[in-house]
Amino acid sequence: MKLELLQHTGSFKPRGAFNRILAAQAGGDPAPARAGVIAASGGNHGAAVAFAARALGIAAEIYVPEATPAAKRARIESYGAHLVAVGADYAAALAACRARQAETGALDVHAYDDPDVIAGQGTAGRAFEQDAPDLTHVLVAAGGGGLLAGVAAWYSGGAQVIGVEPEACPTLHAARAAGRPVPVQTGGIAADSLGARQAGANVFPIVAAHAAALVLVPDAAIEVARRLLWDRIRVLAEPGGATALAALLCGAFVPPEGARVGVLVCGGNTGSLPE
Amino acid sequence: MKLELLQHTGSFKPRGAFNRILAAQAGGDPAPARAGVIAASGGNHGAAVAFAARALGIAAEIYVPEATPAAKRARIESYGAHLVAVGADYAAALAACRARQAETGALDVHAYDDPDVIAGQGTAGRAFEQDAPDLTHVLVAAGGGGLLAGVAAWYSGGAQVIGVEPEACPTLHAARAAGRPVPVQTGGIAADSLGARQAGANVFPIVAAHAAALVLVPDAAIEVARRLLWDRIRVLAEPGGATALAALLCGAFVPPEGARVGVLVCGGNTGSLPE
C-alpha cells in the first residue's frame, strides 16, 4: 500500500498543485508572482493549492461550493488562502472561479484536467515503483481521473494500472461507454472526493491509452475496506481513499496467479471512524 | 517519526511478544508447544501476544481487568486467544494470570518487565536508526518502561533517548526519586496504555543506565499532540501514542541547536478522533 493520505493536507493532491505552479514559474509565466493562483475544489485540491502557494510564497484564492463543511473551509484558510464559498456544487464554484480568474489573471490550477497537474499526480506512481519495484498491478481510485491518468502514464509498459470507481460515481465508465467525456450523476459515500461529474478532456485519452482496466465497486465494499484499513493497520482513510482497496476485497478485481498487487490509499480527510 | 501504530495489532507490542516466545523456543523451552502462552494486559500487550501466538501456531490465554472495553476484548479474541476478564485493575488480572500459569505451565509473557520482551521492543530503535541514521535525540513514551528500556539500550552511546511520562502516570519518575521501583497512583487520558503502577525490576536499571533524560508532560499537551498528528499528517494515535510528541510541543524537551529529533508514535488503539 502506498499511503498518500499521510502527505501534507491529507491527500496526494499537493503533487499536482506544486507541479502546476512550479512548471508555470519555470516556464517564465509571470501570473503566479503577479496575481497568485486560483482554484475551484470540493476540498482536497483546494487545501493542496493553498498549501503549495503558501510554501512558494504566493497568494491563493480558493472557490468551494456553499455546502463545503466548516472543517474543510477552516483547513484551507489555515494555509493562508482567501476562501470564497459560492454555488450549489463543484461546477458552480468552478464557473465562479473562472470568471474571477478572467478578472485577476491568476494562474488557474485545475483539480484534475491539466497536463501539469496530471504529471504531478503521476509522481505518486514513480514513488510507489521506487518503494516496491516488483508490483505487477496497481489499483488507483478515480474521480476526475487526474491521479489515475498520471499513475497509468508513469507505469505505461510496466505494472498494469487498474482504475477503480464507485458505482455511484461512474465518471470514467460513462466516458468510456460514450467514447468521450460526458456528464454523469454522482453520489454515494465517496462523492466528496470522487464525485467529479465529467472526466477531463486531457484525462480521458491518457486513461484510455494507459490504464489496463476500469472497475466499479459498491459503496458497501468501500465501507468494508475503510473498516479493514482502520481495524488492521490503523490507517484511517476517507471513503475515496479506501476505494482502490475495495476492488480487491469485493472481487471487482481478481489478481491473476502470482500477481503482486499495489494499492494506493489516496486520502484521509474524514471526520469519522468507521462504524 | 516512527509510526509504530501501523504495526499489526496497532502498537509496537508484537516486537516484544514475538521475541519472548521465539527466544524461549530457540532455547529449547517446551512450555509454548506443550501449554501455550499466557499474559496479563490492559489491552495492547494482550492483543500482541494473541497475534504472535496465532502466527506461531500455539495457544494463548489472556487475562484482562473486568473494565477492559468490549472492543479490546473482541480484538484479542479475534486472534483466537482464550480471554479471561477478572479483577478491578491490571495488578489483579496479573495476580490471577500468575496463579493460572502455575497450574498450566504456559510460558508467561510479561507486558514489560522481561529481558526478552525489552530486547524485542528495542528492535523499534534498531529499525528507527536504519530509517533515520542521523538522529541526535529520540523521544519515547514510557508506561511500564519496556519500550523505553529497549530503545535506550539499543541507542546506547548513539542518539540520546528521552523517556516521556504523563504527569498523571509518573511511574519511572517515582522510581528514579526513590532509587528503586515503587508503587504510584496512575490516571489521566493515557492511563489505558501508560498506566503501569510500578516500574519493572528489570526495566528500571536499564532506563537508569541508558536513557539520557526523563520528562513529564501534562494531559493537555498530549491532547494537543494527538490533534496535531491527526490534523497535519492524518496519523490517529491513542493518547499514549502521542505522549512522546507532546514533550516537544509543550517544551518539556527543548532540542539543542542543530538537533535532529526522532519521535516514536507507539500506538493507535483509540476509539475516537481528537476533538
Side-chain angles (χ1 to χ4, degrees):
Chain A
M1 290 195 200
K2 175 102 179 78
L3 301 183
E4 285 289 297
L5 80 173
L6 300 182
Q7 299 285 357
H8 284 288
T9 76
S11 85
F12 67 95
K13 291 278 190 182
R15 296 177 177 276
F18 272 110
N19 198 50
R20 166 71 170 138
I21 302 169
L22 290 169
Q25 290 184 322
D29 187 333
R34 190 178 294 161
V37 297
I38 190 166
S41 167
N44 285 353
H45 174 66
V49 172
F51 178 81
R54 188 184 65 172
L56 299 171
I58 55 182
E61 200 167 14
I62 308 294
Y63 280 66
V64 298
E66 282 164 3
T68 301
K72 286 194 173 179
R73 296 186 193 204
R75 167 167 281 218
I76 291 168
E77 290 181 321
S78 79
Y79 297 125
H82 178 63
L83 184 83
V84 181
V86 59
D89 58 11
Y90 169 72
L94 180 61
C97 173
R98 285 181 167 156
R100 172 72 175 160
Q101 191 278 332
E103 291 170 21
T104 66
L107 182 77
D108 175 46
V109 185
H110 193 279
Y112 51 89
D113 200 34
D114 174 277
D116 290 323
V117 170
I118 294 168
Q121 317 303 29
T123 63
R126 179 174 184 269
F128 205 1
E129 186 166 27
Q130 287 175 334
D131 290 345
D134 58 349
L135 297 178
T136 58
H137 298 75
V138 176
L139 300 176
V140 183
L147 177 65
L148 174 62
V151 171
W154 171 261
Y155 275 108
S156 190
Q160 296 199 359
V161 175
I162 292 94
V164 185
E165 291 187 305
E167 289 175 355
C169 300
T171 311
L172 287 166
H173 278 78
R176 187 175 60 179
R180 61 186 169 78
V182 290
V184 295
Q185 288 297 315
T186 55
I189 62 172
D192 62 325
S193 56
L194 304 183
R197 299 213 170 155
Q198 183 158 335
N202 292 302
V203 161
F204 178 65
I206 299 172
V207 169
H210 298 292
L214 291 175
V215 300
L216 291 170
V217 295
D219 277 7
I222 296 172
E223 264 303 330
V224 170
R226 204 170 163 253
R227 195 156 56 237
L228 182 104
L229 284 167
W230 174 244
D231 284 349
R232 290 301 167 194
I233 62 168
R234 288 292 182 253
V235 165
L236 185 51
E238 63 189 276
T243 295
L245 179 61
L248 205 55
L249 299 181
C250 75
F253 170 68
V254 179
E257 186 77 23
R260 292 184 58 85
V261 182
V263 176
L264 209 149
V265 183
C266 57
N269 291 320
T270 176
S272 66
L273 287 164
E275 280 165 25
Chain B
M1 290 195 199
K2 174 102 179 76
L3 301 184
E4 285 290 297
L5 81 172
L6 301 182
Q7 299 285 357
H8 284 288
T9 76
S11 84
F12 66 95
K13 291 278 191 183
R15 296 177 176 277
F18 272 111
N19 198 51
R20 166 71 171 140
I21 302 169
L22 290 169
Q25 291 182 321
D29 187 334
R34 191 178 293 161
V37 297
I38 191 167
S41 166
N44 284 353
H45 174 64
V49 172
F51 178 81
R54 189 184 65 172
L56 299 171
I58 56 182
E61 201 167 13
I62 308 295
Y63 279 67
V64 298
E66 283 164 3
T68 300
K72 287 195 174 179
R73 296 187 193 203
R75 167 169 281 218
I76 291 168
E77 291 181 319
S78 79
Y79 297 125
H82 178 64
L83 184 84
V84 181
V86 58
D89 58 11
Y90 169 71
L94 179 61
C97 174
R98 285 181 168 156
R100 173 72 175 160
Q101 190 278 333
E103 290 172 21
T104 66
L107 182 77
D108 175 46
V109 185
H110 193 279
Y112 51 90
D113 200 34
D114 174 277
D116 289 323
V117 170
I118 293 168
Q121 317 302 30
T123 63
R126 180 174 184 268
F128 204 0
E129 186 167 26
Q130 287 174 335
D131 289 346
D134 58 349
L135 297 179
T136 58
H137 299 75
V138 176
L139 300 176
V140 182
L147 177 65
L148 174 61
V151 171
W154 170 262
Y155 275 107
S156 190
Q160 296 199 358
V161 175
I162 292 94
V164 185
E165 291 187 305
E167 290 176 354
C169 301
T171 311
L172 288 167
H173 277 78
R176 187 174 60 179
R180 62 187 167 77
V182 290
V184 294
Q185 289 297 315
T186 56
I189 61 172
D192 62 324
S193 57
L194 302 183
R197 298 213 170 156
Q198 183 158 334
N202 292 303
V203 161
F204 178 63
I206 299 173
V207 170
H210 298 293
L214 291 175
V215 300
L216 292 170
V217 295
D219 277 6
I222 296 172
E223 264 302 329
V224 169
R226 203 170 164 253
R227 195 156 56 237
L228 182 104
L229 284 168
W230 174 245
D231 284 349
R232 291 301 169 195
I233 61 168
R234 288 293 181 251
V235 165
L236 184 51
E238 64 189 275
T243 295
L245 179 61
L248 205 54
L249 299 181
C250 75
F253 171 69
V254 179
E257 186 77 23
R260 290 184 59 86
V261 182
V263 176
L264 209 150
V265 183
C266 56
N269 290 321
T270 177
S272 66
L273 287 164
E275 280 166 23

